[in-house]
């Protein structure tokens, strides 16, 4: 594998010598041109990780390398302004008394005044705001202000862009639109970025790869599909979206579950907790059941798809089908799996994890 642009190795940060670490043994690489996200609930250490990369915090242990150059580590600590890293915060902090162009030029501190203005114009063109350079920030929409903040960070031409919840001040529609635009812009320019977010949908749709963080540590790193469909821990399975958990008895690639026999994504034996996303289940007529028959207790029609709640042997399961399948509350149905179940924990599982659907994922989980 070629040298990554950024390599974070065994990063640990304590804010006081005898305090518990806020991040512990965090390691990941970011390739040149890659968009990477750190996803996790509030307080798990995402911003601290980003601040260690930017140089605003000094790591207690571990190293941060940029193209093999040590930014932080036993060899020393490069100050933030010498790291060639740009950071966009949740609060754009634009100067209200300066024009859009002046705000962006403010971020460039090399070259003559005229060269700084040229760089600022290029950055504004990049984010599609070249025609608004004379406006004051307060006369722009939230999405436009966000793009000015991005242009201000892009103008000094950083090697790596750090994005700390940059879309969270935008309303839902604008938020989705802006993040798709920013992703496209970064891809067009071949730029590398790390996004910090507690929003699972944002991380899944914005990133090439993501790290899921919990309690100061990384649970799993992978491409969005892998992390969503093949979670390696109970936390990742629950944090990335709704799922059905089944305490099962595994024998090789198959398991006996409360819904009948299912295939497993890997070979294991004994008592295991498995996860099945609602869209990996479907409903069948009771006479085709190879497990217990359940009853539809809820049906949410969402246009192109339908989510059913099905009660079966005292537990409730979520089943997500397309809109061609129509069942009504009260119908007797069998739940069948379309994909192998994902083994989360290959051991006797604590009793507090019952079989059935998990609650909505929460950013403050
Ligand atoms: P959020 O999504 O809410 O911003 P986060 O995942 O970014 O959360 P951090 O801001 O990195 O989390 O904080 C992780 C933990 O470190 C929190 O418990 C926080 O209180 C603590 N912490 C952060 N900065 C400091 C500091 N300067 N001194 C002491 N503790 C700190």
């Amino acid at each position: 594998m070629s040298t990554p642009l950024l390599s974070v190795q065994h990063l640990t940060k304590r804010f006081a010598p005898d305090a518990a670490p806020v991040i512990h043994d965090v390691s990941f690489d970011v390739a040149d041109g890659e968009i990477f996200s750190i996803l996790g609930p509030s307080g798990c250490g995402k911003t601290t990780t980003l601040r260690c990369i930017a140089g605003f915090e000094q790591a207690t242990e571990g190293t941060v390398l940029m193209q093999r150059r040590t930014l932080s580590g036993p060899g020393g600590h490069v100050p933030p302004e010498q790291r060639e890293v740009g950071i966009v915060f949740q609060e754009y902090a634009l100067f209200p008394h300066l024009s859009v162009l002046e705000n962006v030029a403010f971020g460039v501190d090399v070259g003559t005044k005229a060269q700084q203005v040229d760089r600022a114009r290029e950055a504004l063109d990049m984010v599609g705001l070249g025609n608004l350079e004379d406006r004051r920030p307060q006369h722009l929409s939230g999405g436009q202000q966000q793009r000015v903040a991005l242009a201000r960070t892009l103008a000094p031409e950083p090697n790596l862009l750090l994005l700390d919840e940059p879309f969270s001040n935008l309303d839902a529609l604008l938020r989705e639109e802006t993040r798709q635009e920013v992703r496209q812009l970064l891809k067009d320019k071949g730029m590398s970025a790390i996004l910090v977010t507690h929003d699972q949908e944002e991380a899944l749709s914005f990133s090439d790869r993501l790290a899921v963080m919990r309690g100061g540590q990384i649970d799993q790193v992978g491409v969005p599909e892998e992390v969503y469909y093949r979670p390696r821990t109970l936390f990742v399975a629950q944090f990335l979206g709704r799922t059905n958990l089944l305490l099962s008895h595994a024998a090789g690639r198959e398991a006996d579950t409360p819904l009948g026999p299912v295939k497993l994504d890997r070979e294991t034996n004994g008592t295991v907790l498995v996860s099945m996303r609602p869209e990996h289940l479907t409903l069948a007529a009771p006479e085709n059941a190879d497990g217990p028959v359940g009853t539809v207790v809820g049906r949410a029609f969402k246009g192109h798809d339908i989510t059913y709640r099905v009660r079966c042997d005292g537990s409730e399961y979520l089943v997500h089908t397309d809109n061609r399948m129509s069942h009504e509350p009260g119908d007797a149905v069998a739940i069948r799996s379309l994909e192998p179940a994902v083994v989360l924990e290959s051991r006797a599982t604590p009793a507090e994890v019952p079989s059935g659907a998990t609650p909505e994922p929460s950013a403050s989980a």
Side-chain angles (χ1 to χ4, degrees):
M1 191 183 149
S2 58
T3 309
L5 175 74
L6 181 85
S7 181
V8 174
Q9 295 169 2
H10 310 295
L11 207 65
T12 294
K13 173 69 185 171
R14 290 174 209 275
F15 281 103
D18 51 352
V22 160
I23 55 171
H24 180 59
D25 199 17
V26 166
S27 300
F28 60 89
D29 288 343
V30 178
D32 200 15
E34 184 173 40
I35 302 180
F36 189 87
S37 290
I38 304 175
L39 169 70
S42 183
C44 74
K46 306 180 294 292
T47 297
T48 303
T49 306
L50 213 62
R51 290 175 61 81
C52 287
I53 295 168
F56 299 135
E57 299 290 354
Q58 206 157 344
T60 315
E61 284 164 44
T63 52
V64 178
L65 303 172
M66 175 86 79
Q67 287 164 326
R68 294 216 181 99
R69 173 185 174 219
T70 302
L71 299 182
S72 292
H77 179 84
V78 175
E81 63 280 8
Q82 289 171 21
R83 292 193 173 203
E84 295 180 72
V85 161
I87 185 158
V88 181
F89 296 101
Q90 183 175 341
E91 304 299 333
Y92 322 133
L94 300 174
F95 297 115
H97 59 288
L98 297 183
S99 70
V100 162
L101 183 66
E102 288 163 338
N103 262 284
V104 176
F106 188 85
V108 189
D109 57 4
V110 291
T112 63
K113 190 85 196 142
Q115 286 167 329
Q116 291 175 3
V117 169
D118 282 350
R119 281 262 196 103
R121 287 215 164 96
E122 273 173 40
L124 278 171
D125 281 342
M126 245 191 249
V127 301
L129 288 182
N131 55 335
L132 296 180
E133 63 173 52
D134 295 326
R135 287 252 186 110
R136 292 286 160 98
Q138 59 274 33
H139 298 136
L140 298 176
S141 70
Q144 289 168 331
Q145 289 184 32
Q146 204 280 340
R147 281 192 276 159
V148 176
L150 182 65
R152 183 180 54 188
T153 310
L154 291 174
E157 299 178 351
N159 274 332
L160 174 70
L161 205 59
L162 303 179
L163 304 163
D164 192 356
E165 306 258 8
F167 311 116
S168 51
N169 280 342
L170 306 175
D171 63 47
L173 199 65
L174 193 57
R175 186 176 175 153
E176 197 177 329
E177 204 178 285
T178 309
R179 74 183 179 226
Q180 290 312 328
E181 279 172 13
V182 172
R183 180 179 159 85
Q184 196 54 52
L185 172 76
L186 297 178
K187 285 288 154 197
D188 288 348
K189 302 288 163 200
M191 287 205 59
S192 316
I194 303 178
L195 169 78
V196 153
T197 180
H198 60 265
D199 180 326
Q200 38 285 62
E201 193 187 310
E202 186 159 290
L204 291 171
S205 62
F206 190 77
S207 339
D208 298 323
R209 279 189 315 140
L210 63 140
V212 186
M213 210 170 172
R214 163 180 61 148
Q217 288 182 288
I218 290 179
D219 260 28
Q220 188 171 355
V221 178
V223 300
E225 287 80 358
E226 182 184 342
V227 176
Y228 181 79
Y229 285 120
R230 301 198 65 183
R232 289 277 64 110
T233 68
L234 174 59
F235 173 76
V236 175
Q238 291 183 295
F239 195 70
L240 268 284
R242 303 212 55 185
T243 197
N244 297 287
L245 299 173
L246 297 99
L247 205 49
S248 312
H249 189 78
R253 296 289 286 220
E254 300 210 345
D256 247 342
T257 79
L259 297 177
V262 299
K263 298 228 175 309
L264 297 178
D265 71 324
R266 63 189 159 103
E267 204 171 306
T268 183
N269 289 293
T271 306
V272 291
L273 186 69
V274 304
S275 160
M276 301 192 84
R277 295 277 181 214
E279 61 273 30
H280 283 172
L281 296 174
T282 190
L283 299 178
E287 52 273 24
N288 296 330
D290 45 12
V293 171
T295 308
V296 174
V297 291
R299 176 184 188 272
F301 177 71
K302 296 172 185 162
H304 59 297
D305 48 39
I306 305 175
T307 301
Y308 292 98
R309 285 187 296 115
V310 179
R311 182 156 273 280
C312 197
D313 279 348
S315 295
E316 223 167 82
Y317 299 91
L318 286 178
V319 180
H320 202 75
T321 72
D322 66 29
N323 60 11
R324 285 171 298 178
M325 184 163 288
S326 197
H327 294 277
E328 296 301 325
D331 283 0
V333 289
I335 300 178
R336 309 199 98 170
S337 61
L338 297 170
E339 296 288 333
V342 175
V343 179
L344 297 177
E345 294 179 1
S346 183
R347 61 179 170 81
T349 307
E352 68 263 24
V353 186
S355 287
T358 62
E360 283 294 351
S362 153
S364 55

